[in-house]
Amino acid sequence: MNDTAPKVGEAISKVKGVVDVLNGIENTVSGPAVTYQVIRRWLRARASPLKKVAIDAAAVLEGEPAATPVVLNDRAYTIRVRFPDQSRSSLDNMSNTLLTSATGRTATLGSLAQVINDPGETEIRRENLQRLVQVTARVGRSGHGKRCRRGAKKR
């Protein structure tokens, strides 16, 4: 597969009108990630538990399960409580989200932790445990249908 996909990509790149080809090897990248590194000296100075800050940061990013499930038709459903969309829409908004401790003290998440925007990582896609490679191309100005009809006539 590592040999074939680049060959297929090279053959596709020779087609008239193709402007961009991705051969599926080492170019499948996941989305970026956000990492919060807790500022430990800040926590020590204020005697804030690290676990509490971690739970609050997770609640901002992905939500936290509610302590009590909702029961509907004799079935219990766990509800995930999340901060509003506005609080999660950008790194600045997440960093400026105000957190309140159990003792009533407030601080922004950005003052408790350093926000790091990590680039995406290369993915290896699999289907039924077999590696899956997708060779893709972007076509220039002429329409896709027109190009397909032209290719079909050549056959």
Side-chain angles (χ1 to χ4, degrees):
M1 190 168 307
N2 287 342
D3 297 332
T4 307
K7 289 177 185 175
V8 171
E10 187 178 330
I12 290 173
S13 68
K14 293 177 183 174
V15 174
K16 185 178 178 186
V18 171
V19 293
D20 198 15
V21 176
L22 298 176
N23 66 19
I25 305 292
E26 305 301 328
N27 61 6
T28 304
V29 179
S30 66
V34 176
T35 303
Y36 282 89
Q37 283 187 331
V38 175
I39 303 169
R40 291 180 185 273
R41 69 179 180 283
W42 192 98
L43 294 177
R44 279 192 291 267
R46 287 160 186 78
S48 296
L50 181 60
K51 186 175 182 180
K52 173 68 174 138
V53 174
I55 290 170
D56 289 344
V60 171
L61 295 172
E62 59 203 33
E64 281 292 309
T68 307
V70 172
V71 178
L72 183 64
N73 296 331
D74 294 327
R75 188 167 178 191
Y77 295 93
T78 302
I79 302 297
R80 183 168 288 275
V81 179
R82 297 187 343 182
F83 276 69
D85 288 340
Q86 180 181 349
S87 297
R88 297 178 284 113
S89 63
S90 71
L91 288 177
D92 285 339
N93 287 353
M94 286 188 272
S95 293
N96 293 326
T97 298
L98 193 62
L99 304 175
T100 305
S101 71
T103 61
R105 298 181 85 177
T106 60
T108 62
L109 183 56
S111 68
L112 300 172
Q114 178 184 5
V115 182
I116 301 168
N117 192 7
D118 300 324
E121 295 180 1
T122 303
E123 288 182 5
I124 296 177
R125 294 187 178 183
R126 298 189 184 279
E127 189 170 305
N128 295 329
L129 301 178
Q130 298 292 317
R131 181 146 186 208
L132 174 68
V133 175
Q134 296 174 336
V135 179
T136 59
R138 192 167 56 90
V139 179
R141 289 234 173 236
S142 71
H144 179 69
K146 186 176 179 182
R147 186 159 319 287
C148 288
R149 284 190 296 277
R150 201 180 313 146
K153 287 180 185 176
K154 288 182 180 179
R155 289 185 198 153

